[in-house]
């Protein structure tokens, strides 16, 4: 006879359900309220269902230019993603061999995950302000007269986001290369493959699913970043900073629509990354089965 579950199981299950409600309840509420009717307010009950606030958001009728902020965040996120992927692979390859200062370089790189984000942002902003003062004081007149600041989306802002995204990419690639089977490279070299051919035809196909995950980390961490952007982004804000500013000025569901769009982009990127990983794994499994059939 099958025994029933202990009472502790149901208590833990109830606690877990409450945790999920606490975690995702606010997000679900924002998603729902973003579809309020034109006369709807910031709270329930909903007064109709429509896309009115999404249209108002993209028409430029709001307080800030959401379109420009959206494209700035998208461009910055894609740039951080590409740089994180490239440098993570290069660092993973480099750290497979011992070199002087290896441990120091590793800990210095990972240390940015420990330092509070606002401190990192302030430090980068201070560094660029000092650079601005030096340029204005010592640069030739034709440069100093027209110079304003070096801070911007793709200078100080990019650096601030990389201090957050790049260490995660490095940790992932270090783990991947630590368990990489070096015999695959030896076999390729024995067949006369050049180092570039070995990388593109042997190493890259194996690490590509993980590399997509690194890119996913890079984009989503940049896309949602606020603290590290707050002091180092320059004169033009990213979308999360605009969203933060709107929380104290907007009293319509337009802010909910912006939150839904921001979260939707994150989910879209995650979905595309997962689809890419599943496709690559299925392709590798298919090639492996074809190779097995050829040997048999």
């Amino acid at each position: 006879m099958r025994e029933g579950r202990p009472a502790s199981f149901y208590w833990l299950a109830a606690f877990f359900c409450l945790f999920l409600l606490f975690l995702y309840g606010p997000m679900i509420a924002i998603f729902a309220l973003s579809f309020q009717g034109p006369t709807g307010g910031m709270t329930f009950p909903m007064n109709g269902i429509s896309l009115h606030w999404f249209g108002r958001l993209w028409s430029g009728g709001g307080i800030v230019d959401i379109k420009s902020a959206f494209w700035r965040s998208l461009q910055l996120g894609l740039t951080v993603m590409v740089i994180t992927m490239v440098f993570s692979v290069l660092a993973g390859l480099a750290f497979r061999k011992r070199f002087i200062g290896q441990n120091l370089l590793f800990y210095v790189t990972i240390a940015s995950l420990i330092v509070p984000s606002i401190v990192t942002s302030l430090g980068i902003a201070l560094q660029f302000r000092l650079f601005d003062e030096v340029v204005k004081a010592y640069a030739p007149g034709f440069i100093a007269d027209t110079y304003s600041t070096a801070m911007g989306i793709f200078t100080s802002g990019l650096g601030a986001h990389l201090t957050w995204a790049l260490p995660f990419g490095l940790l992932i690639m270090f783990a991947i290369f630590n368990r990489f089977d070096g015999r695959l490279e030896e076999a390729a070299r024995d067949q006369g493959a050049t180092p570039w051919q070995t990388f593109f035809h042997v190493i890259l196909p194996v690490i590509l699913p993980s590399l997509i995950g690194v890119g996913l980390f890079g984009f989503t961490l940049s896309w949602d970043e606020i603290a590290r952007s707050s002091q180092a982004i320059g004169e033009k804000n990213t979308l999360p900073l605009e969203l933060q500013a709107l929380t104290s000025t907007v009293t319509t569901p337009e802010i909910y629509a912006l939150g839904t769009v921001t979260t939707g982009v994150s989910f879209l990127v995650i979905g595309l990354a997962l689809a890419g990983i599943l496709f690559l794994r299925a392709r590798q499994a298919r090639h492996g089965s074809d190779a097995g059939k050829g040997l048999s």
Side-chain angles (χ1 to χ4, degrees), residues 82-166:
V82 172
I83 293 177
T84 301
M85 293 172 69
V86 171
F87 277 85
S88 296
V89 172
L90 294 178
L93 292 171
F95 271 76
R96 297 177 73 188
K97 297 181 179 180
R98 302 289 298 179
F99 58 87
I100 299 176
Q102 183 184 50
N103 292 333
L104 177 62
L105 179 60
F106 172 78
Y107 288 119
V108 168
T109 304
I110 303 302
S112 62
L113 298 178
I114 304 173
V115 179
S117 299
I118 188 64
V119 174
T120 302
S121 179
L122 288 171
I124 292 175
L126 177 61
Q127 180 182 11
F128 273 81
R129 290 192 179 100
L130 291 175
F131 178 79
D132 292 341
E133 293 297 327
V134 171
V135 171
K136 292 177 181 179
Y138 299 104
F142 68 92
I143 296 178
D145 293 342
T146 58
Y147 182 84
S148 58
T149 180
M151 293 183 65
I153 295 289
F154 295 103
T155 52
S156 56
L158 177 61
H161 284 210
L162 285 175
T163 62
W164 183 230
L166 189 55

Side-chain angles (χ1 to χ4, degrees), residues 146-270:
T146 58
Y147 182 84
S148 58
T149 180
M151 293 183 65
I153 295 289
F154 295 103
T155 52
S156 56
L158 177 61
H161 284 210
L162 285 175
T163 62
W164 183 230
L166 189 55
F168 282 104
L170 293 178
L171 290 174
I172 294 174
M173 295 313 301
F174 288 166
I176 296 301
F177 279 113
N178 279 339
R179 64 173 187 262
F180 188 87
D181 191 351
R183 291 175 298 180
L184 298 175
E185 298 172 85
E186 294 177 3
R189 287 193 292 267
D190 290 342
Q191 296 297 321
T194 64
W196 281 108
Q197 290 174 329
T198 302
F199 175 76
F200 282 108
H201 297 288
V202 178
I203 299 177
L204 186 59
V206 175
I207 68 171
L208 192 54
S210 300
L211 186 58
I212 294 176
V214 169
L216 174 63
F217 260 109
F219 180 84
T220 54
L221 290 175
S222 172
W223 176 258
D224 297 327
E225 181 57 38
I226 291 181
R228 293 174 189 258
S229 304
S230 58
Q231 304 297 322
I233 208 67
E235 299 177 355
K236 296 181 179 180
N237 285 340
T238 57
L239 190 59
L241 290 176
E242 295 289 11
L243 179 59
Q244 183 185 43
L246 289 176
T247 57
S248 60
T249 57
V250 174
T251 57
T252 65
E254 183 180 352
I255 190 173
Y256 295 151
L258 178 57
T260 299
V261 170
T262 304
T263 307
V265 172
S266 297
F267 283 152
L268 177 62
V269 173
I270 292 173

